[in-house]
Amino acid sequence: MAERAAPLLAPSEEATHHENCPGCRQDRRNQLHLGIPYREFFYVWIVALCSALPISSLYPFLYFMIRDLDIAKREEDIGFYAGFVGSAFMLGRALTSILWGMVADRYGRRPVIMISLLAVIVFNTLFGLSTRYWMAIMTRSFLGFLSGLLGPIQAYASEVCRKEYQALGLSVVDTSWAMGLVFGPAIGGFLAQPAEKYPNIFSAECLFGRFPYFLPCLCISLFSVGALIACFWLPETLHMHGESKVEDEHINVLEALSNGSNLKGYRGETKQRRLFSDQSLLKNWLLMSSIIVYCIFGLQSTAYSEIFSLWSVSNKKYGGLSFSSQEVGMVLAISGISLLVYQLVLFPHIEKHLGPINLTRAVAALLIPLLASYPFMTKLSGFILKLSVNCASSLRSIFSSTITVGLNILQNNAVSQHQRGAANGMAVTALSLFKAFAPAGAGILFSWAQNHQGVSILPGDYIVFFVLDMVGVVGLLLTFKPFLTQPGKKKTTVNT
């Protein structure tokens, strides 16, 4: 069989392979190596983790940081000001994500990734040194403005492997975010305010005593330095040819061959691919509908993250749980570990049988009663309270991650490679706009709820989680036809 296949492969490779093109070299490696590209996936994992850590590490100590900055006049107003710090990063990222995606499509994935890692090193460090509220806002804004990691790394994860491993590649990105949920809150919760927590090691007069939130930020920045050095060995996946007219067709032929397809079957699929290549991204309904659903659930997830941390550490007299920053970090770390196990062990098999759309619908429906149960946990105490909070938080992380990966698969399959960076950049821009509103809106809603504990209908934290559920209901409804559709089963499954 190998001898009969040789004549087909030889002329095709000669016609499509460009020796100086990094994308062609990567396609050749995908063609020759049939297994999972563990080394490349490891690079993806490290880079995505650097994108997640500055976000997730913030939540355990943000409440205390705003309190120490003396911007809030009352304890009930801390959530209001905390929300704008969380929004600053997302707003900055929203302004530039499409630009970074276009740069990644023009000059390659690796340069954008390396610039973004450098931004994490500089501005995340400066955020930890913030002594004024405006400085915290500015450093988070610049960190978001120069953050081009998420879109290019999602495109990269779908290009660095064969088609049958695309779902695994994208789940590696989300698994890395899961690890960010493990390490980030742990770093933020255990290393913030070290002079208070570990007085035998850190004195109040030392650097980390004078800047109580610098140590967790410094640890993340040092990790990003290691990731930046590792990126020098990161293989580029973008096709860089001189011919613009026939480039896409050549890329698609080589992709079809590297995935084990025959040319006859490929020619039927290429008409559909050409539709995606030739049309504007704004006219690609599969892409746009999946981005809209992606943004709605992203809004819910970000608002939840902001609310959960504020709700957990707030006093019980205001409807909270009176947790410490260490306890919040532990809950989020356990949730991250649960998500990691799920992503590595269960998700590939479940996605293979249900497909991304059906799986998204199922977990979105389960998420509604789960969030509705949160306000009732304030009536619990001791071990039962901690067990309930950990179980609920772990399930919420699993459900949210499943939705994210499923919609990412749809988005990357909706476009050809030369549009993938811009498409992911568009998705990140839209998502960042929603996420920029989410922390501020969640902070305002939480602050209002704490000041209205005595109302007769949905008092205090009940209204907070009710609003989160309503956002989830809207997202669930939009996963059905005619809004969210797909052109064919083959585009969404990974075992075709």
Coordinates of all heavy atoms in Angstrom, one line a residue, residues 33-74:
H33 N 5.1 12.3 11.0 CA 4.9 11.8 12.4 C 3.4 11.7 12.8 O 2.7 12.7 12.9 CB 5.6 12.8 13.4 CG 7.1 12.9 13.2 ND1 7.6 13.9 12.3 CD2 8.1 12.2 13.6 CE1 8.9 13.7 12.3 NE2 9.3 12.7 13.1
L34 N 3.0 10.4 12.9 CA 1.6 10.2 13.0 C 1.1 10.3 14.5 O -0.1 10.4 14.7 CB 1.3 8.7 12.5 CG 1.7 8.4 11.1 CD1 1.3 7.0 10.7 CD2 1.1 9.4 10.1
G35 N 2.0 10.3 15.4 CA 1.6 10.4 16.8 C 1.3 11.8 17.3 O 1.3 12.8 16.6
I36 N 1.0 11.9 18.6 CA 0.8 13.2 19.2 C 2.1 14.0 19.4 O 3.1 13.4 19.9 CB 0.1 13.0 20.6 CG1 -1.2 12.2 20.5 CG2 -0.1 14.3 21.4 CD1 -1.8 11.8 21.8
P37 N 2.1 15.2 19.0 CA 3.3 16.1 19.1 C 3.5 16.6 20.5 O 3.1 17.7 20.9 CB 3.1 17.2 18.1 CG 1.6 17.4 18.1 CD 1.0 16.0 18.3
Y38 N 4.0 15.7 21.4 CA 4.1 16.1 22.8 C 4.9 17.3 23.1 O 4.6 18.1 23.9 CB 4.7 14.9 23.6 CG 3.7 13.7 23.7 CD1 3.9 12.6 22.9 CD2 2.6 13.7 24.5 CE1 3.1 11.5 22.9 CE2 1.8 12.6 24.6 CZ 2.0 11.5 23.8 OH 1.2 10.4 23.9
R39 N 6.1 17.4 22.4 CA 6.9 18.6 22.7 C 6.2 19.9 22.3 O 6.3 20.8 23.1 CB 8.2 18.5 21.8 CG 9.2 19.5 22.2 CD 10.5 19.5 21.3 NE 10.1 19.8 19.9 CZ 11.0 19.9 18.9 NH1 12.3 19.7 19.1 NH2 10.6 20.2 17.7
E40 N 5.6 19.9 21.1 CA 4.9 21.2 20.7 C 3.7 21.5 21.7 O 3.5 22.6 22.0 CB 4.4 21.0 19.3 CG 5.5 21.1 18.2 CD 6.3 19.8 18.1 OE1 5.9 18.8 18.8 OE2 7.3 19.8 17.4
F41 N 3.0 20.4 22.1 CA 1.9 20.6 23.0 C 2.4 21.1 24.4 O 1.7 21.9 25.1 CB 1.1 19.3 23.2 CG 0.1 19.1 22.1 CD1 -0.6 17.9 22.1 CD2 -0.1 20.0 21.1 CE1 -1.5 17.7 21.1 CE2 -1.0 19.8 20.1 CZ -1.7 18.6 20.1
F42 N 3.6 20.7 24.7 CA 4.2 21.2 26.0 C 4.5 22.7 25.9 O 4.2 23.5 26.8 CB 5.5 20.5 26.3 CG 6.2 21.0 27.5 CD1 5.8 20.7 28.8 CD2 7.4 21.7 27.3 CE1 6.4 21.2 29.9 CE2 8.1 22.2 28.5 CZ 7.6 21.9 29.7
Y43 N 5.0 23.2 24.7 CA 5.2 24.6 24.5 C 3.9 25.4 24.6 O 3.8 26.4 25.2 CB 5.8 24.9 23.2 CG 7.3 24.4 23.0 CD1 7.8 23.9 21.9 CD2 8.2 24.6 24.1 CE1 9.1 23.5 21.7 CE2 9.5 24.2 24.0 CZ 10.0 23.6 22.8 OH 11.3 23.2 22.7
V44 N 2.8 24.8 24.0 CA 1.5 25.4 24.0 C 1.0 25.5 25.5 O 0.5 26.6 25.9 CB 0.5 24.6 23.2 CG1 -0.9 25.1 23.5 CG2 0.8 24.7 21.7
W45 N 1.3 24.5 26.2 CA 0.8 24.4 27.6 C 1.5 25.5 28.5 O 0.9 26.2 29.2 CB 1.1 23.0 28.2 CG 0.7 22.8 29.6 CD1 -0.6 22.4 30.0 CD2 1.5 22.9 30.8 NE1 -0.6 22.3 31.4 CE2 0.7 22.6 31.9 CE3 2.8 23.2 31.0 CZ2 1.1 22.6 33.2 CZ3 3.3 23.3 32.3 CH2 2.4 22.9 33.4
I46 N 2.8 25.7 28.3 CA 3.6 26.6 29.0 C 3.2 28.1 28.7 O 2.9 28.9 29.6 CB 5.1 26.5 28.7 CG1 5.6 25.2 29.4 CG2 5.9 27.7 29.3 CD1 5.6 25.1 30.9
V47 N 3.0 28.3 27.4 CA 2.6 29.7 27.0 C 1.2 30.1 27.5 O 1.0 31.2 28.0 CB 2.8 29.8 25.5 CG1 2.2 31.2 25.0 CG2 4.2 29.7 25.0
A48 N 0.3 29.1 27.3 CA -1.1 29.4 27.8 C -1.1 29.6 29.3 O -1.9 30.4 29.8 CB -2.0 28.3 27.3
L49 N -0.3 28.9 30.0 CA -0.2 29.0 31.4 C 0.2 30.5 31.8 O -0.3 31.1 32.8 CB 0.7 28.0 32.0 CG 0.8 28.0 33.6 CD1 -0.6 27.6 34.2 CD2 1.8 26.9 34.0
C50 N 1.2 31.0 31.1 CA 1.6 32.4 31.3 C 0.5 33.4 31.1 O 0.5 34.5 31.7 CB 2.9 32.7 30.5 SG 4.3 31.8 30.9
S51 N -0.4 33.1 30.2 CA -1.5 33.9 29.9 C -2.5 33.9 31.0 O -3.2 34.9 31.3 CB -2.2 33.6 28.6 OG -3.3 34.4 28.3
A52 N -2.7 32.7 31.7 CA -3.7 32.5 32.7 C -3.3 33.0 34.1 O -4.1 33.5 34.8 CB -4.1 31.0 32.8
L53 N -2.0 32.8 34.4 CA -1.6 33.1 35.8 C -1.8 34.6 36.2 O -2.2 34.8 37.3 CB -0.1 32.8 35.9 CG 0.2 31.3 36.0 CD1 1.7 31.0 36.0 CD2 -0.4 30.6 37.2
P54 N -1.5 35.6 35.4 CA -1.7 37.0 35.9 C -3.2 37.3 36.1 O -3.5 38.2 36.9 CB -1.2 37.8 34.7 CG -0.2 37.0 34.0 CD -0.8 35.6 34.1
I55 N -4.1 36.5 35.5 CA -5.5 36.7 35.7 C -6.0 36.0 36.9 O -6.6 36.6 37.8 CB -6.3 36.3 34.4 CG1 -5.8 37.1 33.2 CG2 -7.8 36.5 34.6 CD1 -6.5 36.6 31.9
S56 N -5.7 34.7 37.0 CA -6.2 33.9 38.1 C -5.6 34.2 39.5 O -6.2 34.0 40.5 CB -6.1 32.4 37.8 OG -4.7 32.1 37.6
S57 N -4.3 34.6 39.5 CA -3.7 34.9 40.7 C -4.2 36.1 41.5 O -4.0 36.3 42.7 CB -2.2 35.1 40.5 OG -1.9 36.2 39.7
L58 N -4.9 37.0 40.7 CA -5.4 38.2 41.3 C -6.5 38.1 42.3 O -6.6 38.8 43.3 CB -5.8 39.1 40.1 CG -6.4 40.5 40.4 CD1 -5.3 41.4 41.0 CD2 -7.0 41.1 39.2
Y59 N -7.4 37.1 42.0 CA -8.7 37.1 42.7 C -8.5 36.8 44.2 O -9.3 37.4 45.0 CB -9.6 36.0 42.1 CG -10.0 36.4 40.7 CD1 -9.7 35.7 39.6 CD2 -10.8 37.6 40.5 CE1 -10.1 36.1 38.3 CE2 -11.2 38.0 39.3 CZ -10.9 37.2 38.2 OH -11.3 37.6 36.9
P60 N -7.7 36.0 44.7 CA -7.6 35.7 46.2 C -7.2 37.0 47.0 O -7.6 37.1 48.1 CB -6.6 34.6 46.3 CG -6.6 33.9 45.0 CD -6.8 35.0 44.0
F61 N -6.4 37.9 46.4 CA -5.9 39.0 47.2 C -6.5 40.4 46.8 O -6.2 41.4 47.3 CB -4.4 39.1 47.3 CG -3.7 39.3 46.0 CD1 -3.6 40.6 45.4 CD2 -3.1 38.3 45.3 CE1 -3.0 40.8 44.2 CE2 -2.4 38.5 44.1 CZ -2.4 39.8 43.5
L62 N -7.3 40.4 45.7 CA -7.8 41.7 45.2 C -8.6 42.4 46.2 O -8.4 43.7 46.3 CB -8.6 41.4 43.9 CG -9.2 42.7 43.2 CD1 -8.0 43.6 42.8 CD2 -10.0 42.3 42.0
Y63 N -9.4 41.7 46.9 CA -10.2 42.4 48.0 C -9.3 43.1 49.0 O -9.6 44.3 49.3 CB -11.1 41.3 48.7 CG -12.1 41.8 49.7 CD1 -13.4 42.1 49.3 CD2 -11.7 42.0 51.0 CE1 -14.3 42.6 50.3 CE2 -12.6 42.5 52.0 CZ -13.9 42.8 51.6 OH -14.8 43.2 52.5
F64 N -8.3 42.4 49.4 CA -7.4 43.0 50.4 C -6.5 44.1 49.8 O -6.2 45.1 50.5 CB -6.6 41.9 51.1 CG -7.4 40.8 51.7 CD1 -7.6 39.6 51.0 CD2 -8.0 41.0 52.9 CE1 -8.3 38.6 51.5 CE2 -8.8 39.9 53.4 CZ -8.9 38.8 52.7
M65 N -6.2 44.0 48.6 CA -5.3 45.0 47.9 C -6.1 46.3 47.8 O -5.6 47.4 48.1 CB -4.9 44.5 46.5 CG -4.0 45.4 45.8 SD -3.5 44.8 44.2 CE -2.1 45.8 43.8
I66 N -7.4 46.2 47.4 CA -8.2 47.4 47.3 C -8.4 48.1 48.7 O -8.3 49.3 48.8 CB -9.5 47.1 46.6 CG1 -9.3 46.5 45.2 CG2 -10.4 48.3 46.6 CD1 -8.6 47.5 44.3
R67 N -8.6 47.2 49.7 CA -8.7 47.7 51.0 C -7.4 48.5 51.4 O -7.5 49.6 52.0 CB -8.9 46.6 52.0 CG -9.2 47.0 53.4 CD -9.0 45.8 54.3 NE -7.6 45.3 54.3 CZ -7.2 44.1 54.9 NH1 -8.1 43.4 55.5 NH2 -5.9 43.7 54.8
D68 N -6.3 47.9 51.1 CA -5.0 48.6 51.5 C -4.7 49.8 50.7 O -3.9 50.7 51.2 CB -3.8 47.6 51.4 CG -4.0 46.4 52.4 OD1 -4.8 46.5 53.4 OD2 -3.3 45.4 52.2
L69 N -5.2 49.9 49.5 CA -5.0 51.1 48.7 C -5.8 52.3 49.2 O -5.6 53.4 48.7 CB -5.3 50.8 47.2 CG -4.3 49.8 46.6 CD1 -4.8 49.6 45.1 CD2 -2.9 50.4 46.6
D70 N -6.7 52.1 50.1 CA -7.5 53.2 50.8 C -8.3 54.0 49.8 O -8.5 55.2 49.9 CB -6.6 54.1 51.5 CG -5.9 53.5 52.8 OD1 -6.6 52.6 53.4 OD2 -4.8 53.8 53.1
I71 N -8.8 53.3 48.7 CA -9.7 54.0 47.8 C -11.2 53.9 48.2 O -12.0 54.7 47.8 CB -9.4 53.4 46.4 CG1 -10.2 54.2 45.3 CG2 -9.9 51.9 46.3 CD1 -9.7 55.6 45.1
A72 N -11.5 52.8 48.8 CA -12.9 52.6 49.3 C -13.1 53.2 50.7 O -12.4 52.9 51.6 CB -13.3 51.1 49.3
K73 N -14.2 54.0 50.8 CA -14.4 54.6 52.1 C -15.2 53.7 53.0 O -15.1 53.9 54.2 CB -15.3 55.9 51.9 CG -14.5 57.0 51.1 CD -15.4 58.2 50.9 CE -14.6 59.3 50.1 NZ -15.4 60.5 49.9
R74 N -15.9 52.7 52.5 CA -16.6 51.8 53.3 C -16.3 50.4 52.9 O -15.9 50.1 51.7 CB -18.1 52.0 53.2 CG -18.6 53.3 53.7 CD -20.1 53.4 53.6 NE -20.6 53.1 52.3 CZ -21.9 52.7 51.9 NH1 -22.8 52.6 52.9 NH2 -22.2 52.4 50.7

